[in-house]
Amino acid sequence: MRANWLLLSLIFLLALPRPTAARPLERVLPQVTVAPVSTTSTQISISAPLGGQVLQGKVPIMGYTAAGSLQSSELSFAYTNDPADTWFLIQYSTLPVSNGLLAEWDTTTITDGNYTLRLVATFREGNQQTVTIPGLRVRNYTPI
């Protein structure tokens, strides 16, 4: 009986597939997918002019739009308390600005009065950020 069992075991072992060549063990590393990190949490800003300032002539508008995956930015102005909420474009850009000149606003082409400046940044993800600077006083033709 023991001989039959040994014979069957031997036949079974001989029937098993044999490796054809000695190969080093292959290591399969799991694939890791890294999702892009949204850096749009960095805030856009306008650093100059500031609310309450009197503006005359050509005014440099300074700020920051190098936030995240910027697609475009629009800088515009409106009359303060305008019931029609009409905005006039000063500058459209697809280039990020890092604490530098966003645009130059020629205030000589508008009437004296109080204005609000607005910066709208649109990001590739589809979201937007808006910054407004209210209370800008343009005084080209009237005394300050």
Side-chain angles (χ1 to χ4, degrees):
M1 182 66 111
R2 185 175 165 113
N4 286 342
W5 184 80
L6 256 149
L7 185 58
L8 285 174
S9 297
L10 183 59
I11 293 172
F12 177 75
L13 287 174
L14 289 174
L16 289 176
R18 293 185 202 156
T20 55
R23 292 189 302 169
L25 290 176
E26 291 181 17
R27 233 175 144 190
V28 178
L29 297 175
Q31 287 192 341
V32 178
T33 302
V34 178
V37 177
S38 174
T39 54
T40 58
S41 60
T42 306
Q43 298 296 312
I44 61 168
S45 64
I46 296 174
S47 55
L50 301 175
Q53 276 189 294
V54 174
L55 308 179
Q56 291 181 319
K58 293 183 179 183
V59 178
I61 301 172
M62 307 299 287
Y64 182 85
T65 61
S69 56
L70 180 75
Q71 182 175 339
S72 65
S73 64
E74 290 183 12
L75 192 59
S76 53
F77 70 92
Y79 295 101
T80 299
N81 301 322
D82 177 16
D85 196 34
T86 304
W87 292 89
F88 301 93
L89 184 66
I90 299 171
Q91 177 79 32
Y92 173 86
S93 178
T94 58
L95 300 175
V97 175
S98 183
N99 296 323
L101 182 68
L102 296 173
E104 188 174 74
W105 183 19
D106 185 1
T107 64
T108 62
T109 62
I110 59 176
T111 60
D112 286 2
N114 297 332
Y115 293 87
T116 299
L117 198 57
R118 178 178 75 175
L119 174 62
V120 178
T122 303
F123 299 94
R124 287 186 204 103
E125 297 85 10
N127 57 326
Q128 290 185 326
Q129 288 183 15
T130 303
V131 173
T132 58
I133 307 295
L136 297 172
R137 303 180 307 157
V138 173
R139 301 293 186 268
N140 287 306
Y141 309 108
T142 56
I144 297 173

